[in-house]
Amino acid sequence: MDTREALGSWIDGPKAAAEKMGADFGYRGERLGLPREGSGSLAGPGRRIGALFVDGWLVALIAYGLVSGGVPGKANLWTTPIFFLVAVLLLATTGSTMGKRLFGLRVIRLDGRRAGIPQVMLRTLLLCLVVPALVWDRDTRGLHDKAVGTVEVRI
């Protein structure tokens, strides 16, 4: 085997090369004990990003229309704090925000129970910092979820 196959091509990446050599990584969420598909399975990145955009749009609308009185500069200042408050309130009580509900998602702890208020607050704070949410593991769980022991699953 030549070195290029062991490292993977720049298009396929090292995971594809390892799979060609016989490594079995399983499906996303298998290490967490989640089903492959259907209710309770790990939410895909597309759904999660879509839900985040819906939540961000709704919060920006609230900040612009209700809080800042239509002043864009003020609305920009209020968007992140309102997002934090809305996300913490909704995730701590129902397990999903408006965008997550629209996309059929819920945030739960790894043991299947609803996440507590401290977990939700830290998760949302890390999500507002953006960078922890952009770093994923092979199950596509962001660092903001890994830090607090939560996972985003399909309803």
Side-chain angles (χ1 to χ4, degrees):
M1 172 173 305
D2 101 46
T3 311
R4 287 178 294 171
E5 285 183 41
L7 294 176
S9 75
W10 67 277
I11 294 174
D12 293 336
K15 181 179 177 188
E19 287 173 343
K20 285 179 188 175
M21 295 181 347
D24 181 23
F25 292 108
Y27 62 88
R28 285 183 315 107
E30 183 176 21
R31 296 182 309 157
L32 305 172
L34 300 173
R36 181 183 294 263
E37 54 190 43
S39 181
S41 65
L42 195 63
R47 284 179 180 229
R48 294 194 325 254
I49 292 169
L52 183 63
F53 274 112
V54 168
D55 290 336
W57 181 77
L58 290 173
V59 165
L61 192 63
I62 291 168
Y64 182 76
L66 297 177
V67 178
S68 72
V71 179
K74 278 185 171 178
N76 288 339
L77 292 175
W78 281 101
T79 301
T80 303
I82 292 172
F83 176 83
F84 180 82
L85 290 173
V86 168
V88 168
L89 178 68
L90 292 176
L91 288 176
T93 56
T94 65
S96 60
T97 60
M98 294 164 278
K100 288 182 192 336
R101 178 64 73 178
L102 182 67
F103 280 84
L105 306 176
R106 179 183 348 223
V107 175
I108 60 171
R109 292 179 2 180
L110 288 175
D111 61 6
R113 296 185 299 174
R114 188 171 57 214
I117 294 172
Q119 284 178 305
V120 169
M121 288 179 76
L122 181 57
R123 179 188 187 276
T124 306
L125 178 67
L126 292 173
L127 182 63
C128 288
L129 294 176
V130 178
V131 174
L134 294 177
V135 180
W136 296 348
D137 66 3
R138 76 174 194 214
D139 290 320
T140 63
R141 261 177 82 211
L143 286 181
H144 65 296
D145 278 323
K146 291 181 72 110
V148 297
T150 59
V151 64
E152 202 162 341
V153 296
R154 295 170 58 190
I155 298 176

